[in-house]
Amino acid sequence: MALGTTFAPPAFAAPAAQGAAIPLAGAIREEAGGDVKRFYAARGYKPLWIRAGKVGPEAAILLGYLSTAARDDLKSSAYDLEKLEALIARARGGDPQALARAEVALSTAFARYVRDVRSPGKTPMEYADKSLRPKKADADAVLRAAAFPKDFGTYMKNMGWMSEHYVRLRALMGRALADGVPSDAMARLRLNLDRTRILPGPYVHHIVVDASSGQLWYYGSGKRAGTMKVVVGAPETQTPMLAGKLQWAILNPYWNVPDYLAQKSIAPKVLAGRSLASLRMEALSDWGPNPRKLDASEIDWPAVASGDQALRLRELPGGANSMGRVKFLFPNDEGIYLHDTPERALLKKPDRHFSNGCIRLENAAALGLWLLHRSINTKSKTPEQAVALPVEVPVYLTYITAVATDRGLAFRDDVYGRDG
């Protein structure tokens, strides 16, 4: 090697940058404890609220939620706002220890607030899938969910841990508190707010059906993926408050006729001279998995019409079938599912409470594409083609009557009598 050659030092990171990062991470490690520490440990004690040595704007958003916790039917005093504000103020000097204390305090307050605001209270929801029953979230889970989106600021601004329906009613609650609305209206609004607490945020793939407005929404990846009108249960055959997981799409489905319709609708038509074939229906021996098709001579129609004898009837698949081209199933004891419908006129009505409890879809093809990641169209005419969904998708059937108008708080007609 020639004399006089100079050697460049190895290309290590700049000492100043390393010196800024290591003390803050070490300070967070010392400051955090319990579930909060587990969250930071998994990310190498990287801060969530602090960037470039400063407390980010998301902290102010959190303080805004905490200071208006009355909108959530919570108390701001439970979150020690003055102490939190003081810690943030001390962190403005850039001292790593002060920054770490503010960082951990923000995460602790945020996790507690999310836990409180998502507490279901006494909302009367039936959980067909027990895994959907709300659980008390620990700080680690809350913070991991917040750190997952690419844009933490948008997550905080949009209250991404809550349903858009909750966010809307929370804003309406703030307006109602300011307007001093009557106590009975406030109680009704709180009841509606509690119904929306248990709905997931948009980062969870799920479906919401509101039996008050006759509307359906589906969500995933942090946004609403689509919405459509639906026909829901009539007052005498209500769509229940129910949560389960969609598991199957059934293409070219039969429609199993409820016993009361077999008695009140089908039997009188047959006794008046119509044949089951002209009604595109067939009678079966039982409700088991391998029923026998009944001959017309085996059916005692007067007994069916009087209610003395139950008869299993099903409508054959086809364009006029009451199920349309597809139905989407989730296990539940109520016999509720989502399905296509040929009765398009009902979807144009402002009040869409006409079904026997199931949900008739305005655009089953669009929902099917979202659920299956492929078209529901099939050339095969084989009845009851069962297609497993790639992923089970939670569906929440709820009832939200509270709405915002130019004049403030208003309510839809309580057609099911659940707001009393």
Side-chain angles (χ1 to χ4, degrees):
M1 184 177 295
L3 294 176
T5 302
T6 58
F7 297 89
F12 296 121
Q18 282 288 93
I22 292 175
L24 178 56
I28 292 173
R29 182 174 185 173
E30 292 177 3
E31 193 67 31
D35 291 339
V36 173
K37 186 165 188 172
R38 187 161 62 249
F39 162 73
Y40 282 111
R43 54 192 272 121
Y45 297 96
K46 177 183 176 182
L48 179 64
W49 305 86
I50 294 169
R51 291 190 295 277
K54 295 181 180 180
V55 177
E58 296 82 9
I61 297 174
L62 174 60
L63 291 176
Y65 292 140
L66 300 182
S67 65
T68 58
R71 300 180 185 181
D72 307 294
D73 210 16
L74 301 171
K75 295 181 179 180
S76 295
S77 58
Y79 303 99
D80 205 347
L81 276 169
E82 290 186 4
K83 180 180 179 181
L84 195 55
E85 289 169 343
L87 289 172
I88 293 171
R90 290 184 199 131
R92 293 193 183 106
D95 174 67
Q97 199 70 43
L99 286 167
R101 286 174 182 160
E103 169 73 27
V104 173
L106 284 164
S107 287
T108 303
F110 174 68
R112 183 180 176 187
Y113 173 67
V114 171
R115 179 198 66 195
D116 293 345
V117 81
R118 289 200 60 83
S119 178
K122 297 180 180 180
T123 304
M125 174 71 79
E126 178 185 346
Y127 292 94
D129 190 304
K130 303 306 180 186
S131 69
L132 298 179
R133 189 179 295 279
K135 302 176 183 66
K136 187 177 179 180
D138 59 34
D140 181 27
V142 170
L143 294 169
R144 279 189 287 108
F148 176 75
K150 293 181 180 179
D151 190 339
F152 180 49
T154 298
Y155 182 83
M156 288 298 297
K157 181 180 178 182
N158 294 343
M159 216 173 191
W161 56 96
M162 300 300 290
S163 165
E164 68 167 322
H165 305 288
Y166 181 87
V167 175
R168 174 176 61 83
L169 292 192
R170 186 184 194 275
L172 188 53
M173 177 66 81
R175 185 172 176 183
L177 289 169
D179 291 345
V181 304
S183 59
D184 58 340
M186 288 298 295
R188 191 173 177 186
L189 176 55
R190 288 191 180 96
L191 184 62
N192 276 262
L193 191 74
D194 280 346
R195 289 171 184 154
T196 62
R197 287 184 197 276
I198 58 179
L199 302 178
Y203 292 88
V204 176
H205 278 68
H206 70 284
I207 296 169
V208 173
V209 176
D210 174 27
S212 171
S213 62
Q215 199 75 19
L216 175 149
W217 301 263
Y218 46 107
Y219 302 89
S221 303
K223 63 182 180 180
R224 184 202 299 173
T227 185
M228 68 183 69
K229 297 175 183 177
V230 292
V231 174
V232 292
E236 61 273 14
T237 52
Q238 298 181 8
T239 296
M241 295 274 291
L242 178 66
K245 289 184 178 179
L246 290 177
Q247 298 178 357
W248 295 90
I250 308 297
L251 308 182
N252 297 335
Y254 289 106
W255 176 49
N256 290 303
V257 182
D259 288 347
Y260 77 94
L261 286 179
Q263 177 192 356
K264 301 293 185 181
S265 178
I266 307 303
K269 291 177 182 177
V270 174
L271 290 172
R274 296 285 300 274
S275 67
L276 281 182
S278 70
L279 295 170
R280 291 187 46 77
M281 291 188 178
E282 59 186 14
L284 302 175
S285 58
D286 56 69
W287 290 93
N290 299 300
R292 178 177 60 84
K293 185 177 177 180
L294 296 179
D295 187 81
S297 61
E298 299 179 78
I299 304 171
D300 185 348
W301 284 110
V304 175
S306 66
D308 293 332
Q309 180 178 315
L311 177 66
R312 180 182 178 183
L313 295 175
R314 67 182 182 186
E315 186 180 26
L316 300 176
N321 182 281
S322 298
M323 298 290 101
R325 293 174 294 168
V326 63
K327 62 182 178 181
F328 302 104
L329 304 184
F330 64 103
N332 67 88
D333 294 335
E334 305 290 336
I336 300 297
Y337 45 87
L338 285 61
H339 65 88
D340 190 15
T341 177
E343 296 184 72
R344 312 308 296 176
L346 294 180
L347 289 158
K348 297 178 181 179
K349 294 180 178 292
D351 183 346
R352 295 185 288 278
H353 297 88
F354 297 103
S355 84
N356 297 311
C358 289
I359 294 91
R360 304 178 191 176
L361 303 167
E362 178 184 29
N363 195 340
L367 185 63
L369 181 62
W370 184 75
L371 288 168
L372 292 168
H373 310 298
R374 69 171 180 82
S375 171
I376 63 169
N377 292 328
T378 174
K379 294 181 180 179
S380 171
K381 294 184 179 181
T382 303
E384 296 280 308
Q385 298 174 46
V387 181
L389 302 188
V391 178
E392 295 180 354
V393 177
V395 56
Y396 293 80
L397 313 183
T398 189
Y399 187 71
I400 307 169
T401 59
V403 294
T405 69
D406 292 340
R407 295 183 179 181
L409 174 63
F411 295 93
R412 297 187 189 91
D413 289 341
D414 184 13
V415 294
Y416 289 173
R418 295 177 181 172
D419 283 358

